[in-house]
Amino acid sequence: MKNTKATIHEIAAKLNITASTVSRALNNNPRISEETKKKVLKVAKQINYQPNHIASALRSGKSRLIGVIVPTANRNFFSSVIRGIEDLANNLNYKIIISQSYDEYDKEVQNIEALLNARVDGIIASFGKMTDNFDHFLKVIEKGIPLVLFDRTADVLNVSHVILDDYLGAYQAVEHLIKSGCRRIVHFTNIQRINIYTERKRGYEDALKANGIEVDPELIVYGSMQLEDGRRLTEELIEKGVDFDGIFSSADYAVMGALQVLKSHGIDVPGKVKLVGFGNEPFTSFTDPTITTVDQKSIAMGKITAETFFEILNSKETEPISKKTILKPELIIRDSSK
Amino acid sequence: MKNTKATIHEIAAKLNITASTVSRALNNNPRISEETKKKVLKVAKQINYQPNHIASALRSGKSRLIGVIVPTANRNFFSSVIRGIEDLANNLNYKIIISQSYDEYDKEVQNIEALLNARVDGIIASFGKMTDNFDHFLKVIEKGIPLVLFDRTADVLNVSHVILDDYLGAYQAVEHLIKSGCRRIVHFTNIQRINIYTERKRGYEDALKANGIEVDPELIVYGSMQLEDGRRLTEELIEKGVDFDGIFSSADYAVMGALQVLKSHGIDVPGKVKLVGFGNEPFTSFTDPTITTVDQKSIAMGKITAETFFEILNSKETEPISKKTILKPELIIRDSSK
């Protein structure tokens, strides 16, 4: 049975501290020591203390809700980042609510409105691919509501963010293909020029140049980076008779499409064409052959994004903090590039 | 450029109707004809009208937010249902916010609290696997807040729901395996006895009996239905020397694990063992061989769930409506059972 009657007074009695100290500890007040917070959380868990957030929100004017905007929660990358954010938030007695933009600008604008309407205490977001105007995020900043961006960001917004070193990830992926013997490496890139894709393209080009291989514009092809795009782009390369021995795709879904088409044409992977994707989606380890890809450190990104968020939320500074973190990606070598 | 200044007065002028009719149409008032609503929505889209939800919420006491609780948004089934709900909701000028339970009872209880805290106008939910106490949902009902459940429900809560005919889906899957020549069919089922898994198991058993095959308890094995469970259960069957020529798994992830292990043991699929999963997760069409599975009609489920929800929300009855819809699944035959 759930003990729904547990109160902060019980916690206080057990630890021989005041109820107000318990309340402050549960609300992550910076004046309370980490040691006390840990003890309070432990006892709260033991006696199954269920805080009354609504009453607490009414008292404090805080909702203890954080709004998270992502293009879609149905991608391993975004769901892992959300999990990382959620784990820390829940430990600090916050809940997160998610809103999806489906990469549509209008929906993203409405998401911001909906989350403000839900009285969130702050917003954590990753842009949609179509977002090239940032007024909706500026509105959040102007209202003094904490905002942290991850992965998909824009330098024009001087706001705290956590991103991956996409340039480095691409550079290492292409260098790996070159070391595996590839000379004619195709690059699948997104038709939308958001930061992550321009950085991956830059990494691709620089790795080629650094290894004495000229960048051939014929080998750089554009799509929306879905499975179908990968299929279409690969069919087109084969139809046109383009000579290539490797593909570095800026997304795993597109490289999966390439693998399907190459197999259906009887082109051996990795014998004739070697493949590297980006994202480490779970299916890349299911395919035959398994797909080499770049891991985006999504759990770490979620954790650091949440830490950055709470630092800003708890900051007593009048000037907002702007903190930028860049994570190192990891190349996961599997059978498609051996 | 976005036309952020568009007002209901412009829409009214263009259609030669009053602003109050426009406002009612946008708020899906039942007194306004469907024809007028369509015209208003069309013009609103043309002139890019952006409703001010916050001001509107303050006026009406409504947030125009619907809270959706799912175990995880990172499953194709749940994300498709959410998409179906969201499409209809957005057309009616509502936004949805998502909260994940990760199949944990305590998180689900907190999700309800968080969504009420965000002042949602109603809740749409699918239970976590651990949920066996429904007080948190009863609380929503007692507050008179519209609640609709989908997929994972409990009869003890007399609340509107939309579910799949899991029994029929399983029955058809097992009958298909029998017609393909299988006689010793393993069933992977969930260790948690929520409605969907008990119904699938019942369908498995009845299809065997109807075809004169005795149910062998040795062939019914239990796990959490993740990829790793499928791997472990298959390894155990092979180690124990259990004789089987087919597997009907109550989840796609587990059947994928089985496929990996069978391949690694050099057991031919579908030659020696035929496989059928449940869920039609996208990866089932990526694998080699592709996996036969049961499609759960997730888009239709989302659409009907949302329609049921708005019917309740707009109902003027004092007695709450309870409407139950059961959808027919579809067997998708692929290479793993040929």
Side-chain angles (χ1 to χ4, degrees):
Chain A
M1 280 302 294
K2 300 281 157 190
N3 171 8
T4 50
K5 298 265 168 74
T7 66
I8 58 171
H9 300 284
E10 280 181 55
I11 303 171
K14 277 185 193 281
L15 292 170
N16 203 19
I17 55 179
T18 66
S20 113
T21 301
V22 172
S23 169
R24 283 194 199 134
L26 288 172
N27 287 284
N28 200 31
N29 186 310
R31 292 194 199 161
I32 306 296
S33 75
E34 284 308 313
E35 203 194 330
T36 304
K37 282 179 196 168
K38 269 188 195 159
K39 279 187 196 161
V40 167
L41 284 174
K42 199 177 162 191
V43 173
K45 206 163 183 179
Q46 277 167 359
I47 67 167
N48 196 19
Y49 168 70
Q50 306 268 7
N52 183 339
H53 286 168
I54 298 181
S56 141
L58 288 174
R59 275 197 307 275
S60 67
K62 299 275 180 197
S63 66
R64 303 196 78 85
L65 295 173
I66 304 165
V68 178
I69 301 173
V70 289
T72 165
N74 185 27
R75 276 288 159 96
N76 192 54
F77 170 70
F78 290 116
S79 84
S80 300
V81 175
I82 290 171
R83 185 75 208 229
I85 295 169
E86 198 149 17
D87 282 347
L88 181 63
N90 289 351
N91 277 343
L92 297 175
N93 229 341
Y94 277 78
K95 286 292 288 178
I96 71 160
I97 51 180
I98 304 160
S99 186
Q100 302 180 105
S101 70
Y102 297 105
D103 280 319
E104 291 175 35
Y105 176 83
D106 286 351
K107 282 206 198 293
E108 195 172 277
V109 172
Q110 290 161 16
N111 289 344
I112 295 273
E113 210 182 324
L115 292 175
L116 295 177
N117 198 1
R119 301 179 306 176
V120 294
D121 292 340
I123 292 175
I124 293 174
S126 196
F127 290 168
K129 283 179 193 164
M130 312 302 283
T131 302
D132 54 1
N133 170 313
F134 307 103
D135 290 352
H136 48 315
F137 287 106
L138 285 172
K139 195 168 130 188
V140 174
I141 298 168
E142 280 161 15
K143 279 179 184 281
I145 292 167
L147 171 69
V148 175
L149 299 172
F150 69 89
D151 192 49
R152 300 173 178 195
T153 64
D155 285 336
V156 58
L157 282 172
N158 187 31
V159 62
S160 291
H161 69 218
V162 184
I163 58 174
L164 187 80
D165 193 336
D166 288 281
Y167 171 84
L168 181 67
Y171 192 101
Q172 289 173 339
V174 174
E175 190 146 69
H176 162 71
L177 282 171
I178 296 168
K179 282 185 182 156
S180 304
C182 299
R183 286 295 170 275
R184 299 272 304 158
I185 303 168
V186 167
H187 180 44
F188 287 175
T189 185
N190 201 290
I191 207 150
Q192 298 301 331
R193 300 187 181 176
I194 63 171
N195 63 314
I196 57 173
Y197 296 108
T198 53
E199 284 298 285
R200 290 172 199 176
K201 182 160 166 280
R202 202 166 64 82
Y204 160 82
E205 291 171 343
D206 283 3
L208 291 180
K209 288 178 204 160
N211 286 276
I213 301 174
E214 215 175 313
V215 175
D216 180 351
E218 191 189 28
L219 297 181
I220 302 177
V221 292
Y222 296 82
S224 291
M225 295 298 100
Q226 304 301 311
L227 180 92
E228 280 312 311
D229 299 281
R231 293 186 62 95
R232 182 177 49 79
L233 295 173
T234 310
E235 288 285 6
E236 283 171 8
L237 289 166
I238 294 171
E239 265 172 43
K240 284 189 201 160
V242 173
D243 173 36
F244 65 100
D245 55 13
I247 297 177
F248 166 58
S249 171
S250 56
D252 280 338
Y253 280 87
V255 87
M256 158 76 86
L259 176 60
Q260 290 179 348
V261 168
L262 291 168
K263 280 172 83 169
S264 75
H265 282 267
I267 299 170
D268 186 53
V269 177
K272 285 280 178 195
V273 174
K274 297 189 203 305
L275 303 178
V276 179
F278 207 109
N280 200 16
E281 284 289 330
F283 65 75
T284 54
S285 63
F286 299 164
T287 50
D288 185 13
T290 55
I291 300 174
T292 298
T293 186
V294 179
D295 185 83
Q296 297 180 270
K297 301 288 167 203
S298 46
I299 301 283
M301 192 178 283
K303 188 169 171 282
I304 296 168
T305 300
E307 284 166 0
T308 306
F309 176 84
F310 283 105
E311 211 170 299
I312 294 168
L313 189 72
N314 295 325
S315 155
K316 300 276 168 280
E317 304 295 323
T318 46
E319 280 302 305
I321 305 170
S322 172
K323 194 176 163 186
K324 318 220 164 177
T325 309
I326 300 173
L327 301 175
K328 295 262 167 287
E330 184 189 357
L331 183 68
I332 312 284
I333 298 173
R334 300 206 184 93
D335 294 339
S336 69
S337 63
K338 276 184 179 158
Chain B
M1 280 300 294
K2 300 280 155 191
N3 172 9
T4 50
K5 298 266 170 72
T7 66
I8 58 171
H9 300 283
E10 280 181 54
I11 302 172
K14 277 185 193 282
L15 292 170
N16 203 18
I17 55 179
T18 67
S20 112
T21 302
V22 172
S23 170
R24 283 193 199 132
L26 289 171
N27 286 286
N28 200 31
N29 186 310
R31 293 194 198 162
I32 306 296
S33 75
E34 284 306 313
E35 202 195 329
T36 304
K37 281 178 196 168
K38 269 189 196 161
K39 278 187 196 161
V40 166
L41 284 175
K42 198 176 160 192
V43 173
K45 208 162 183 181
Q46 277 167 359
I47 67 167
N48 195 21
Y49 169 69
Q50 306 267 7
N52 184 340
H53 286 167
I54 298 180
S56 139
L58 288 174
R59 276 196 307 273
S60 67
K62 299 274 179 197
S63 65
R64 302 197 78 85
L65 295 173
I66 305 164
V68 178
I69 300 174
V70 289
T72 164
N74 186 27
R75 275 289 158 95
N76 193 55
F77 170 70
F78 290 116
S79 85
S80 300
V81 176
I82 290 171
R83 185 73 208 231
I85 295 169
E86 197 150 17
D87 282 346
L88 181 62
N90 288 172
N91 278 343
L92 297 175
N93 230 341
Y94 277 77
K95 286 293 287 179
I96 70 159
I97 51 180
I98 304 160
S99 186
Q100 302 180 105
S101 69
Y102 297 105
D103 280 318
E104 290 175 36
Y105 175 82
D106 285 351
K107 282 204 199 294
E108 195 172 278
V109 172
Q110 291 160 17
N111 290 344
I112 295 273
E113 209 181 324
L115 292 175
L116 295 178
N117 199 1
R119 301 179 306 176
V120 293
D121 291 339
I123 292 175
I124 294 174
S126 196
F127 291 168
K129 284 179 192 164
M130 313 302 283
T131 302
D132 54 1
N133 170 312
F134 306 104
D135 290 352
H136 48 315
F137 288 106
L138 286 172
K139 196 169 129 186
V140 173
I141 297 167
E142 280 161 16
K143 280 178 184 280
I145 292 168
L147 172 69
V148 176
L149 299 172
F150 68 90
D151 192 50
R152 300 173 178 195
T153 64
D155 285 336
V156 58
L157 282 173
N158 186 30
V159 62
S160 292
H161 69 218
V162 184
I163 58 173
L164 187 79
D165 193 337
D166 289 281
Y167 171 85
L168 180 67
Y171 191 101
Q172 289 174 338
V174 174
E175 189 145 70
H176 162 71
L177 283 171
I178 296 168
K179 284 188 179 155
S180 305
C182 299
R183 285 295 170 275
R184 299 273 304 157
I185 303 168
V186 167
H187 180 44
F188 287 175
T189 185
N190 202 290
I191 206 151
Q192 297 301 329
R193 297 184 184 179
I194 63 171
N195 65 315
I196 57 173
Y197 296 108
T198 53
E199 283 298 285
R200 290 174 199 175
K201 182 159 165 281
R202 202 165 65 81
Y204 159 82
E205 291 171 343
D206 283 2
L208 290 180
K209 288 177 202 161
N211 285 276
I213 302 174
E214 215 177 313
V215 175
D216 179 351
E218 191 190 29
L219 298 181
I220 302 177
V221 292
Y222 296 82
S224 291
M225 296 298 98
Q226 304 300 312
L227 180 93
E228 280 312 312
D229 299 281
R231 293 186 62 94
R232 181 176 52 76
L233 295 172
T234 309
E235 287 285 5
E236 283 170 11
L237 289 165
I238 294 170
E239 265 171 42
K240 283 188 199 158
V242 173
D243 173 34
F244 65 100
D245 54 13
I247 298 176
F248 166 57
S249 171
S250 57
D252 280 338
Y253 280 87
V255 86
M256 158 77 87
L259 176 61
Q260 291 178 349
V261 168
L262 292 168
K263 280 172 82 169
S264 75
H265 282 268
I267 299 169
D268 186 51
V269 177
K272 285 280 177 195
V273 174
K274 297 189 204 305
L275 303 177
V276 179
F278 207 110
N280 199 16
E281 284 288 331
F283 65 75
T284 54
S285 63
F286 298 164
T287 49
D288 185 12
T290 55
I291 300 174
T292 298
T293 186
V294 179
D295 185 82
Q296 297 180 270
K297 300 288 166 203
S298 46
I299 301 281
M301 192 177 281
K303 188 170 171 281
I304 296 167
T305 301
E307 284 167 359
T308 307
F309 176 84
F310 283 106
E311 210 170 301
I312 295 168
L313 189 73
N314 295 324
S315 155
K316 300 277 168 282
E317 305 295 323
T318 46
E319 280 302 305
I321 305 170
S322 172
K323 193 176 162 184
K324 317 218 165 179
T325 309
I326 301 173
L327 301 176
K328 294 261 167 288
E330 184 189 357
L331 183 67
I332 312 283
I333 298 173
R334 300 207 183 93
D335 293 339
S336 69
S337 64
K338 278 189 178 155

